[in-house]
Amino acid sequence: MTTPRQTLLIIEDDPDVLKGISLRLQASGYAVVAARDATQALSAARNAKPALILLDLGLPGGDGFLVMDRFKSIAQLALIPILVISGRDPALNRDKALQKGAVAFLQKPVDTQVLLAAIEAALGGA
Amino acid sequence: MTSSVASAAARSARGEAARVPALAATLAFAVGVVVLLGWTLHLDVLRGVAGVTGVMNPMTAAAIALCAGALACLGTTPRRPRLARFGLALAALAGAIAALRLAGAIPGFPFDVDRLLFPATLRISPATDGRMAWTTAAAITALAGALLLIDGRAKGQVIVRESLLGAVLALGLEAVVRHTYAFIPSPEALHAGTMALHTAIALVALGFATLLARPDQGVARLLTGHEPGSVLLRRTLPALAALNVVLGWMRLNVERAGTLSAEASIALMVFVSLLLIGTVLFVHAVAMNRADAASRGAMQRLGESEDRFRHLFEAAPVGILIVDTHGRCRYANSRWQEITGFTPATAEGHGWMRAIHPEDRKHIGELWKQASSSGEEFSSELRFRRPDGGERVVIARAIAMRDSEGGLSGYVNTNEDVTDWKKIQQELADARGRELEMKDQLLSNVSHELRSPLTAIYEFTALLKDGLAGPINDQQLEFLGIVLRNTEQLRGLIDDLLEVSRARTGKLSVSCAPFDLSVLAREVVEAMQPRAAKRGLSLRVDAPADLPVAFGDARRMRQVIGNLLDNAFKFTPEGGDVHVRAWTDRTAGIAGVSVSDSGPGIPPDERERVFEYLYQTNHDREASRKGLGIGLFLCRELMSRQKGRIWVESPPERGATFSVALPEFSIAALIAPVIEKPRSPDDLPAALLHVRLRGGASRPLTRGDREALEVARDLLERCSRPGRDVLLPDLGHDGFGSFWLFARANAPEARVLAERIEKLLAGSKTLIECGLSSSVSVQSLDPPAWNRGLEPDTIATEWAGQVLAQLEARANRDEERNAA
C-alpha cells in the first residue's frame, strides 16, 4: 500500500454495515472515518479531509442526494469524489446519482473485489 | 282493420274516379267524330234525328271533340308539360268556337262560326235551322273555361272551375231531362236553343269527367272521398236522381192516359217517393251506423295500443327521444327528461340539441351525418350537460323510423345513462392503479430493506473467510463459502423481485441494438463454468462464428440465458450434461440460443405454464428450493419486449430444452413499420439524416462523453416523429458520435427536421459542458422503381439497401481519412 494512508469517509446509518465495510477497508490499508447521518458527515469531512466519500442514500435526517448537494455546494468539499453505495433500485437512482456528481453507483451488497476496484479507480482518477 | 278497409275503399274510389276522364274523353271524342262523319257523308242517322234526339251542329261536334282531346291531354297523371300545353290550346280553341257563337247574339256581329262547316246543308229540316243552340254554346264556353283552369289550385280558381262545370252539368242535364219527357215547347224553340240529346250526354260526361280529373280538390274530393258523407253522396245521389226521373216519367204517362186525376197522381207520387227515399236513407243510415261503430272500435283499439306504447316508453329505463326527419323533437320520455334535465318545452324543436355537451356537439354531428348518409345505425358515447351544470355520460343509439311505404319519417334515439357505471369503472381502475403502485412500492421497499442486513452478513462472512478475524480451519472455510454462496442466491432473488415488479407495471426496460448472439452465448457459458463445475455438471457450448447479427438487448439476453442456465443447473443431477447451442433459422429470419439439460424434463401439461407468473413446478427435485416462480416469467417478458420468443421442448426421458429466439437484425425490418402502402411513387419521399457529434481536437472518449451520447440519443428519439422516423441503432459502421435517422420526408421536410435537431442538440447543456458540437447532413433516398411494385416490404428492402450503402460509404471515407 502507498503511504501516507488515504482517508475514506463512510456515511452509513446501519451500524453493522458500517462496521463491516470499515473493517474491510482498514484491512485493505485505508484510514476510515465514519459518519452516521448528514450533520456528522459534514463535520467529519471538514475535519478529516477524506480522499473519497462512500455514501449511503437512505440516511436519517436527510436523503443522501441532499447530502451530495451540500458537499457539492461547499467549495472545500466539492472536489472530493463520492461513491454511492445503496440498496435502492439502480434503475431509478443510478442516473440521478451520476448526474449529481457521483463517480459510481454500487448496489448493496457489493462484492468486495468490485468495491476495492471502484475505490481505487475513483482515487486514481481524482 | 276497419280503417284499412276504408282506406282501401277510398283508394279504389279514387282509382275509379281516375278512369272516368279517359273514358268520358273517349266517348265524347267518338260522338264528335261520328257526327262530323255524318255531316261529311250525309248520313242523317250519324248526325242525329231531328225531332227525336235533335241534330248536333258540326261546329258543336268539332268543339266537343276538341274538349275531349283537351281533357285527355290534361287529365293524364303524371302530368306531362308539353302534352298539357297542347291540351290547353285545344280547350282554348273549343272555347273560342263557342264564345264566337255566343257573340253572334250581339246585333251587328257578322261572323257565324257555327256555319263554318257545311253551311249549305246546315238547314236539314224545316223544323230546325241546324245552328248551335245558345245553351250548347254557353255550356261549351263554360267547359273550355273550366279546362283552362284545370291546374288552378288556389281556392278561388277551384271555385270558379267547379262553378263553370256546375253550369255545364246543369245545362246538359236540363237538356237530357227535356228530351226524356219530350218537353219541346215548340219546333220554333229548337233554333232558339235546345241542345241535341247526344250533345247533352257528351257535355254531361265531359263536365263530370273534368270534375273528376282533379279528385283531390273541391267537390270532386267530396265525391271521391272515403268519409261516410262522401260514401252516402256517391250511393244515394244516382239512386235519387234515377228515382225522380222514373217517377216523373210514370206520373206524366199516368196523367196523359187520364187514369188518375191530377190530385191522385201527385198524392201517389209523393207517397211513393217518400217511401223509396225513406228506404234508401234507412238502408244507408244502418250501414253508416255500423261503419261508425267499427271506426269507433278501431279508434279505441288504436288509442289502447298508443297507451300501451306510451306506457312502455315511459316505463323504459333508457331515455327515449323521437325526432322527425328535420331533427325536431316529437317526443321525449320522462327518463330522457330526467337524464338531461330538459322539459318538453325546452326540448321542443331543435332545443334538445342543447342538452349535448358543447365539446361533443361537433364530433357527434359528424358521426350522425356519416351514419345517416350511409344508412347505418348511429351508436356513440356522448355527454349531456344538464341545465343545473351536472354532466351525464350516455350510450346513444338511433334508428330510422319508416312509414308503411318505407319512407323515412324520423329517428328514435335511445340514451342509456352510464355515468354511474363509468364512475365505478374509473374508481376500480384507480383503486387497481393505487394497489399496483403500493405493491410496487412495497416490493421496492422490501428489496431495499433486505439489502442492508444482507450486506452486513456478506461483509462479516467475507471478513471471516479472508481470515481478517483470526485464522480459520478448512471446514470453517468451507462452511463460510456455503454462507457466501447462499448470500449470493438471496441477492439474486431480491433482484428478481424488483425486476418482476417492473415487469408487472410495464417498466421493464430494453434497448435493442444489433449484437453477436454467438459471442454472447460463449461469454455467458464462460462465466458460468465455475458454478457448473461446483455442481459436478459438464457445461458445453456450441456457437458457430458465422451466425447472423441479432437485434435485441445484449444485457437482457445475458440475463435470460443466465437464468436458463441457473434452471438447468438446478434440475440436472450431478454428473449430468448441460449444453448451450447458438443457432439460426435463415428462412424465419431469426437467431437463437438453446439450453438443454439432462434433467427429468417437463411434462407436456406444464410446458406452457412454466412461463406463467408465480408458477412453481411440483416435480422439483429440490422442494426446498422452488424459487419464486418468476425466473421464467421474467425471461418471457424480456423476450417479448425484444420482439423475440421463448419456448421449451421436452421429449420423454431426454431432459428439457429451453430456446430463445431474436429477430435477425435488418434495416428493412426496422424501417418497414413507418412505410405505408403508397398511392404513387410521388407519395414516397424518404431521407437519411446523419447526425455527427464532434469533440474539440481528436481527444480520447471520456466517461462524460459516453453520457453525452446517451443524452444525444434521447434528444434524437424525442425529435423523431412517431410513425414517420426511425432512429437507427448504433450499427458499428462508423466511429463514435454518429447517429443515423431514417425519415419519411421530402427534401424541405427533411431540412426542417435537420434544423430542429441541430437546434435541440446545440441547446443541450450536457453536450455544451462536454465540449461537443454537432452537425447534421441530409441525404435523400431514391424512390423504388414503379414497376417493381409498391408493397411496403419491397420498399423497405430497397431503402435498407440504400441506407447500408450510405453507411458503408461513410465508414470508408472515415477509414481513408484515418489512413491519411
Side-chain angles (χ1 to χ4, degrees):
Chain A
M1 279 302 132
T2 49
T3 47
R5 297 206 303 168
Q6 283 175 301
T7 305
L8 308 183
L9 169 60
I10 309 182
I11 309 168
E12 168 66 65
D13 65 322
D14 185 312
D16 293 347
V17 173
L18 181 60
K19 191 172 177 189
I21 293 178
S22 299
L23 286 173
R24 168 63 66 188
L25 294 179
Q26 280 162 355
S28 303
Y30 294 104
V32 175
V33 178
R36 302 278 295 279
D37 59 40
T39 339
Q40 277 185 17
L42 277 173
S43 57
R46 282 206 180 89
N47 297 333
K49 302 201 170 45
L52 176 78
I53 297 167
L54 302 174
L55 175 69
D56 184 21
L57 287 179
L59 292 175
D63 185 82
F65 288 124
L66 294 177
V67 176
M68 282 178 80
D69 288 341
R70 296 276 291 283
F71 274 90
K72 293 296 171 192
S73 66
I74 298 167
Q76 61 183 113
L77 305 178
L79 291 176
I80 305 174
I82 297 176
L83 192 64
V84 173
I85 303 177
S86 172
R88 289 192 193 172
D89 186 356
L92 302 175
N93 294 281
R94 174 176 278 131
D95 289 355
K96 192 173 172 191
L98 296 181
Q99 218 174 353
K100 286 190 179 290
V103 289
F105 181 101
L106 300 176
Q107 199 189 16
K108 285 180 184 172
V110 190
D111 184 87
T112 307
Q113 302 312 316
V114 172
L115 176 66
L116 293 177
I119 291 172
E120 247 168 67
L123 289 174
Chain B
M1 197 180 99
T2 318
S3 69
S4 73
V5 169
S7 71
R11 268 203 297 279
S12 74
R14 293 254 155 84
E16 278 160 24
R19 280 201 298 275
V20 170
L23 211 68
T26 314
L27 175 78
F29 188 75
V31 168
V33 169
V34 163
V35 170
L36 280 177
L37 269 176
W39 281 99
T40 316
L41 306 174
H42 304 285
L43 294 169
D44 288 354
V45 71
L46 295 185
R47 291 180 301 204
V49 183
V52 182
T53 61
V55 175
M56 194 188 292
N57 175 281
M59 287 315 283
T60 303
I64 284 177
L66 287 172
C67 283
L71 180 63
C73 294
L74 293 165
T76 55
T77 47
R79 197 168 179 283
R80 289 176 13 214
R82 283 181 65 181
L83 198 61
R85 275 200 297 279
F86 181 62
L88 289 176
L90 294 182
L93 189 56
I97 290 170
L100 283 172
R101 164 66 179 132
L102 280 179
I106 301 166
F109 185 79
F111 197 56
D112 290 322
V113 71
D114 61 329
R115 292 191 189 165
L116 271 182
L117 297 172
F118 317 106
T121 51
L122 210 51
R123 181 183 286 273
I124 51 173
S125 78
T128 170
D129 62 358
R131 297 199 59 189
M132 193 189 288
W134 296 115
T135 48
T136 306
I140 291 175
T141 312
L143 181 63
L147 281 168
L148 289 172
L149 282 172
I150 198 159
D151 284 324
R153 299 195 70 90
K155 200 174 172 196
Q157 290 172 315
V158 173
I159 289 174
V160 170
R161 182 175 76 227
E162 294 193 331
S163 304
L164 289 171
L165 290 174
V168 173
L169 289 173
L171 288 168
L173 283 172
E174 190 268 344
V176 170
V177 172
R178 194 185 278 235
H179 280 287
T180 309
Y181 297 117
F183 170 63
I184 312 296
S186 65
E188 293 77 36
L190 277 176
H191 89 271
T194 298
M195 225 181 260
L197 180 61
H198 44 317
T199 306
I201 291 172
L203 283 175
V204 167
L206 282 175
F208 193 59
T210 308
L211 196 64
L212 293 183
R214 293 294 179 266
D216 54 338
Q217 295 167 9
V219 176
R221 190 190 169 88
L222 187 66
L223 275 172
T224 57
H226 66 276
E227 296 84 355
S230 300
V231 174
L232 179 71
L233 190 65
R234 270 203 303 279
R235 288 187 188 163
T236 52
L237 204 58
L240 289 178
L243 191 71
N244 271 307
V245 172
V246 170
L247 281 177
W249 179 79
M250 277 165 64
R251 188 182 152 207
L252 185 68
N253 282 329
V254 165
E255 279 197 14
R256 276 195 186 144
T259 9
L260 287 173
S261 67
E263 293 79 5
S265 80
I266 285 178
L268 184 66
M269 183 183 146
V270 167
F271 171 73
V272 173
S273 71
L274 268 179
L275 193 72
L276 291 176
I277 290 172
T279 311
V280 167
L281 286 179
F282 180 81
V283 168
H284 279 95
V286 170
M288 273 177 79
N289 280 353
R290 208 175 285 150
D292 187 51
S295 114
R296 271 170 201 279
M299 288 297 282
Q300 195 184 342
R301 281 195 294 279
L302 194 63
E304 281 166 7
S305 153
E306 256 185 38
D307 278 351
R308 269 204 299 280
F309 277 109
R310 190 172 302 116
H311 288 140
L312 194 65
F313 278 170
E314 286 303 315
V318 293
I320 297 174
L321 177 81
I322 296 178
V323 298
D324 64 15
T325 48
H326 300 287
R328 287 181 298 236
C329 173
R330 283 282 167 264
Y331 169 80
N333 75 346
S334 50
R335 180 73 186 125
W336 191 86
Q337 296 170 30
E338 210 176 286
I339 296 171
T340 58
F342 273 52
T343 62
T346 50
E348 205 188 337
H350 290 110
W352 64 273
M353 286 180 183
R354 287 193 318 260
I356 299 174
H357 196 289
E359 286 168 20
D360 286 357
R361 270 178 217 163
K362 196 171 162 227
H363 165 68
I364 292 297
E366 277 163 14
L367 278 183
W368 173 259
K369 226 178 273 170
Q370 200 185 328
S372 55
S373 64
S374 66
E376 283 165 18
E377 185 184 307
F378 169 86
S379 175
S380 169
E381 189 176 295
L382 63 87
R383 289 173 298 166
F384 280 136
R385 189 150 78 181
R386 296 166 54 87
D388 62 16
E391 225 174 72
R392 307 299 291 176
V393 184
V394 298
I395 307 276
R397 287 197 186 83
I399 53 163
M401 283 194 300
R402 309 218 165 254
D403 58 25
S404 53
E405 267 126 51
L408 184 69
S409 65
Y411 296 92
V412 181
N413 301 277
T414 59
N415 299 137
E416 188 181 350
D417 191 342
V418 292
T419 315
D420 296 338
W421 181 78
K422 281 244 154 203
K423 213 164 117 193
I424 291 167
Q425 290 287 310
Q426 188 56 49
E427 278 168 7
L428 276 177
D430 288 351
R432 186 166 162 65
R434 275 197 302 276
E435 195 191 315
L436 272 178
E437 222 166 81
M438 277 170 68
K439 204 169 96 184
D440 206 20
Q441 189 62 46
L442 179 76
L443 277 172
S444 166
N445 288 350
V446 164
S447 84
H448 177 224
E449 293 307 319
L450 286 176
R451 281 176 203 278
S452 280
L454 194 62
T455 307
I457 294 168
Y458 173 81
E459 286 299 341
F460 284 99
T461 313
L463 284 169
L464 284 176
K465 190 172 170 255
D466 291 352
L468 293 174
I472 51 166
N473 64 31
D474 283 355
Q475 198 178 25
Q476 287 167 337
L477 191 67
E478 188 202 336
F479 290 176
L480 288 172
I482 293 171
V483 176
L484 278 184
R485 204 177 68 224
N486 279 274
T487 315
E488 191 53 39
Q489 213 171 346
L490 199 53
R491 185 203 162 123
L493 287 174
I494 295 170
D495 284 346
D496 278 357
L497 217 63
L498 254 190
E499 283 280 57
V500 84
S501 137
R502 288 194 203 110
R504 300 281 289 171
T505 48
K507 288 177 194 154
L508 209 58
S509 66
V510 298
S511 91
C512 292
F515 72 97
D516 190 331
L517 202 50
S518 218
V519 171
L520 185 120
R522 278 200 290 265
E523 279 174 10
V524 176
V525 167
E526 188 72 28
M528 298 289 270
Q529 279 298 358
R531 286 172 61 183
K534 234 178 242 181
R535 282 185 165 264
L537 301 171
S538 127
L539 175 60
R540 290 181 297 126
V541 61
D542 179 6
D546 58 345
L547 222 56
V549 178
F551 189 62
D553 186 328
R555 192 172 64 87
R556 292 302 196 180
M557 284 312 285
R558 215 177 277 277
Q559 192 181 345
V560 168
I561 298 169
N563 217 318
L564 294 180
L565 278 173
D566 266 342
N567 268 351
F569 291 173
K570 205 154 71 174
F571 290 104
T572 309
E574 206 172 328
D577 290 314
V578 174
H579 182 206
V580 176
R581 193 172 64 84
W583 50 267
T584 174
D585 180 347
R586 297 252 175 198
T587 47
I590 53 175
V593 172
S594 296
V595 177
S596 313
D597 62 44
S598 58
I602 297 170
D605 60 319
E606 285 189 36
R607 280 176 209 160
E608 273 305 309
R609 292 172 58 203
V610 290
F611 298 107
E612 284 172 10
Y613 181 52
L614 298 182
Y615 182 76
Q616 292 177 322
T617 178
N618 296 321
H619 300 266
D620 202 324
R621 279 185 317 113
E622 283 180 84
S624 58
R625 290 288 164 85
K626 276 188 174 175
L628 293 174
I630 50 182
L632 287 174
F633 165 74
L634 268 178
C635 288
R636 192 185 62 181
E637 289 294 303
L638 286 170
M639 290 314 295
S640 83
R641 273 176 175 65
Q642 296 174 84
K643 298 194 165 55
R645 60 189 207 94
I646 183 168
W647 69 98
V648 63
E649 290 149 305
S650 184
E653 309 296 324
R654 288 179 49 196
T657 299
F658 281 86
S659 301
V660 287
L662 283 176
E664 267 181 34
F665 172 69
S666 112
I667 295 177
L670 269 183
I671 61 177
V674 301
I675 301 172
E676 294 151 10
K677 195 173 166 62
R679 289 184 296 275
S680 73
D682 307 330
D683 195 30
L684 264 178
L688 192 62
L689 276 70
H690 184 213
V691 182
R692 189 136 202 162
L693 296 183
R694 287 172 214 280
S698 57
R699 60 179 173 81
L701 183 62
T702 68
R703 188 195 302 274
D705 288 341
R706 285 199 190 283
E707 270 176 55
L709 276 187
E710 286 305 309
V711 170
R713 181 164 277 279
D714 277 355
L715 287 174
L716 286 172
E717 284 282 5
R718 224 181 305 154
C719 269
S720 60
R721 304 157 302 171
R724 300 207 58 156
D725 305 332
V726 178
L727 182 60
L728 301 179
D730 183 7
L731 301 172
H733 273 74
D734 44 4
F736 150 71
S738 206
F739 298 96
W740 296 86
L741 186 76
F742 172 85
R744 214 156 59 80
N746 57 28
E749 285 168 350
R751 202 54 249 167
V752 168
L753 189 63
E755 275 165 23
R756 208 165 73 216
I757 290 171
E758 270 172 348
K759 221 171 175 178
L760 206 65
L761 291 179
S764 160
K765 231 175 94 189
T766 316
L767 297 191
I768 295 169
E769 277 172 5
C770 293
L772 295 176
S773 62
S774 62
S775 65
V776 185
S777 62
V778 179
Q779 179 70 47
S780 64
L781 300 175
D782 300 328
W786 171 250
N787 57 9
R788 280 184 46 201
L790 285 170
E791 289 304 320
D793 285 348
T794 326
I795 299 162
T797 312
E798 165 93 26
W799 273 337
Q802 294 189 32
V803 168
L804 261 182
Q806 293 267 339
L807 258 59
E808 269 156 18
R810 161 68 63 182
N812 289 340
R813 270 206 302 281
D814 285 357
E815 247 169 52
E816 279 165 24
R817 193 177 306 141
N818 288 345

